[in-house]
Structure formats: structure tokens, C-alpha cells
Amino acid sequence: MSQALSTDVLIVGGGIAGLWLNARLRSQGFSTLLVEHETLGGGQSVKSQGIIHGGAKYALHGTLTGASEAIADMPRRWRQALAGTGELDLAGVRLLSEAHYLWSPGTLAGNLTSFFASKAVRGRVDQVKGDQLPAALQHPKFKGKVYRLAELVVDVPSLIGRLAELAGDGLLAADAIAPLREREQIAGLIVDGREIRAQRIVLSAGRGNADLLAALALSQPAQQLRPLHMVMVKGPSLKPLYAHCLGGGPKPRITVTSHPAEDGQWVWYLGGDLAEAAGVARDEPTQIAQARKELGQLLPWVDLSAAQWATLRVERAEPAQSGLTRPDNAFLSEQGPLLVGWPTKLALAPDFADRVLAALDRDGIRPTEQPPLPALPRPNIAVPAWQEAF
């Protein structure tokens, strides 16, 4: 058996939630070790659109929901971190856009004006016109209205890379993970035959949490999966666009983010209502046809004749909710030294870390002196889906 290790906090799952938590803990003096079964960010994180939501899209009926209130402070915290002055130093992470936008087709412009005039969102958004419009909407045929949301869009692969740097020597690639029990209580994990003891073990492996819990003979907390069928389109005529298009219901009709390909072209990554229930039921050719139709109706001046298309199925893991509803906040469940959680969305990674730190503080868990870690096999960073697709 390999040399046994000990650490203050052992984290399983190297997505944004686990990596952010790992960096926060290290910044406060805790020793940590993060174990990843596959690639860093390779589950949900690298498939995210990178939007640091501030809640505006959850208030499309003119009232603030629990989700919008819970997430409202996230853009500020992320901005500080990206400037190198926040709880983490993320200076150098590529920022794709300083803002996300909400636009309406001409037929819904009146509804959008009424929505943003409401007390619920006043002061959170600003209307933009002319050369302030996103490049893809600066066309004479565009007749809608556009509002600028104070929500960043980050390059997720760049973010994963920086958080991996902040992990120092505390990353471990793993094939087999099993519980380490002492006196009928979990004391750590056995990773590829190596015993690793910790004061606390945190499961932040997204969809992988369910398998880890099963290995620990635990049925709670239960997990739900929210499927999406995203669309990617790459073409020489595409200009950067980061925006939700308002539909007739409470969800954006389509959400567009733009990501740089290695050849200098842009890839539009399409989510929103397009990718949800009806989109999940479509096969790839039908989903691409629907996306082409949507873009043709909404942005008819964009030349897609030379575009390349692909789709990506994503299953967002969350704590189980009645009726498969979306959780409002990051989630954390505690079972003795075991903490299990999901951030529920990228923007809430700081909230997830807050909850873990609060639990440690309440239980009197403090940093301890630990011997240096030996050289360990390090997990690779995930390749973006649009890089693999085209």
C-alpha cells in the first residue's frame, strides 16, 4: 500500500465548486487535498456558459424570486476576485465579457420595457443603443430593445487553470475511491490503495456525488439531474454575443455565449429554453434544425451558410427537489465528518465555499500542522466541448 496521508480537509471533485473551496481553505491556512477521478472541470464546469448570474433572468415577471435574491451578490464577489482584490486572486483569468445582455425581438419590446421599468429590477440594468449594442446586434434590421445586465462572462477553461494553480501540490488524480472507516465512522478515503485521513471530507463531485454516496452506503442527500441539449455553432461570420433573448414565458427563449476557437473563429454556445425540455427530446439533427430556425428568425442578417454545427448533452446535478424545481442556493448536507454538496450553478461557487467554512467554524475545525505532501499524480484539465467538436 502507498504511504498514508493526512490533511485537514479532503475534497472529492475538481469542478469549479471543489477547486474554489480548495483555494478558499488554503487561503485560510488549512491543509487540503483535492481528489479528481477524471479531469479538472470535466463534468458540468467546462460545459457551463460561464455567466456569473446576478438574478435578473429569474425576475422576468417583474418580481424578485428566492433565486434572484440569493444570487444577487455573486457578480460583485466574482469581480473582486477577478481583479485580484477579493477572497481569491483570480487576476489573469480571461474575461469574455464585462456584461451579459437581455434583448427582445421587436414584437416583445414593449413587454421588456415594462419589465425593466419595474421596481424589482430598477437600478440593476441599463438600456443600450447604437454602438453600445453587442456587435452581433449592430445591424439596421435589428428592431428590438437591449438591456445591459451587470453580469460577467468568464472563460471557464482559463478559470479552471487558475484555480488549479492555486491548489499547489494538493491535487490527486484517482481511479478508485473507497471509504476509510474507523470505529464505524468515516475517517477518510482509500484512494488507489492509499489511506488518506482528514478532519472533514467534502463531496463536491457534481453527478459523481451519487456514486460516491452509494459507495459509502448512504442514500441521502438524494440527487436530481436536470438535462440540457446545448447547441454549438462555429462560423467565420459570427461576432461575439453574450445575451438572453426574451421569449413569451418566464425563461429566456435562447441564451447565447461566444467562445474563442483555436483557429481564431468564434463558437456560439446556445442554451436557454432551446436546450431544455423540448430540446432534450430532440435528436441532434432536429435540435440543430431548430437552432438554425431560431437564429434565422431572431438574427436573420447573420450568415450561417458556412457554419459548422454540433450539440452537447449536459446533465446538471443538483440536490433533489420536489417537482424537479431548481434550487435557489448552493446546498450542503452534513453527516458527521462528511459534507456533501452542490453549488447548483457556477456563479454560486463562493456561496458553496461559505457554507463549508461556516460548518468548519461551527464545529471548531482549525488548521493543523501537516507534513508536506509527496509528489502525487496530477489530474489533467478538461478540454472545452467546442474544441473537441470542431
Side-chain angles (χ1 to χ4, degrees), residues 224-239:
Q224 69 184 28
L225 297 176
R226 187 185 303 279
L228 300 172
H229 195 183
M230 307 290 287
V231 179
M232 296 174 285
V233 53
K234 175 184 174 183
S237 66
L238 298 185
K239 298 177 181 179

Side-chain angles (χ1 to χ4, degrees), residues 150-168:
E151 300 178 348
L152 308 169
V153 186
V154 298
D155 180 61
V156 175
S158 173
L159 173 62
I160 295 168
R162 175 56 182 156
L163 290 172
E165 289 177 4
L166 294 176

Side-chain angles (χ1 to χ4, degrees), residues 351-376:
D351 182 40
F352 176 70
D354 288 348
R355 292 168 187 271
V356 174
L357 285 163
L360 298 182
D361 182 65
R362 183 202 63 221
D363 293 344
I365 304 298
R366 301 287 183 264
T368 61
E369 290 290 333
Q370 296 286 345
L373 291 170
L376 298 170

Side-chain angles (χ1 to χ4, degrees), residues 79 82 92-99 152-155 158 242:
R79 279 185 195 279
L82 291 164
V93 170
R94 182 173 184 175
L95 188 61
L96 294 175
S97 180
E98 284 280 356
L152 308 169
V153 186
V154 298
D155 180 61
S158 173
Y242 303 91

Side-chain angles (χ1 to χ4, degrees), residues 80-326:
Q80 290 180 343
L82 291 164
T85 60
E87 58 212 60
L88 297 181
D89 180 1
L90 300 184
V93 170
R94 182 173 184 175
L95 188 61
L96 294 175
S97 180
E98 284 280 356
H100 206 249
Y101 295 83
L102 188 71
W103 102 86
S104 68
T107 54
L108 292 172
N111 292 349
L112 189 61
T113 301
S114 299
F115 163 61
F116 281 122
S118 72
K119 182 179 179 181
V121 294
R122 197 174 302 147
R124 291 190 177 196
V125 296
D126 299 294
Q127 187 175 1
V128 294
K129 300 177 180 179
D131 59 7
Q132 293 182 323
L133 292 172
L137 301 181
Q138 292 184 24
H139 192 278
K141 291 184 179 179
F142 178 69
K143 303 300 182 184
K145 289 185 181 293
V146 179
Y147 283 79
R148 184 182 189 274
L149 309 179
E151 300 178 348
L152 308 169
V153 186
V154 298
D155 180 61
V156 175
S158 173
L159 173 62
I160 295 168
R162 175 56 182 156
L163 290 172
E165 289 177 4
L166 294 176
D169 60 356
L171 296 175
L172 174 61
D175 288 324
I177 301 173
L180 172 62
R181 297 186 184 278
E182 291 181 350
R183 295 184 294 275
E184 299 185 0
Q185 181 165 289
I186 185 168
L189 298 174
I190 301 173
V191 179
D192 297 337
R194 184 198 301 267
E195 292 185 355
I196 306 176
R197 287 175 169 77
Q199 296 190 72
R200 290 292 183 271
I201 302 98
V202 181
L203 304 188
S204 61
R207 180 177 177 176
N209 277 355
D211 292 336
L212 291 165
L213 288 167
L216 296 168
L218 296 173
S219 60
Q220 295 295 326
Q223 174 178 282
Q224 69 184 28
L225 297 176
R226 187 185 303 279
L228 300 172
H229 195 183
M230 307 290 287
V231 179
M232 296 174 285
V233 53
K234 175 184 174 183
S237 66
L238 298 185
K239 298 177 181 179
L241 179 61
Y242 303 91
H244 305 294
C245 178
L246 187 69
K251 298 179 181 178
R253 177 173 171 179
I254 192 169
T255 294
V256 185
T257 53
S258 306
H259 305 268
E262 290 185 310
D263 61 3
Q265 294 187 42
W266 288 95
V267 176
W268 281 3
Y269 193 30
L270 311 178
D273 201 42
L274 169 73
E276 299 201 20
V280 171
R282 300 183 190 112
D283 60 19
E284 183 175 30
T286 308
Q287 179 71 338
I288 288 172
Q290 182 64 29
R292 186 188 289 272
K293 178 182 176 182
E294 286 281 89
L295 292 179
Q297 291 176 353
L298 297 171
L299 306 168
W301 55 87
V302 176
D303 181 6
L304 297 174
S305 60
Q308 302 174 64
W309 297 82
T311 69
L312 177 67
R313 290 191 180 272
V314 181
E315 287 187 313
R316 292 186 296 182
E318 303 165 342
Q321 306 283 296
S322 175
L324 203 66
T325 56
R326 180 187 292 109

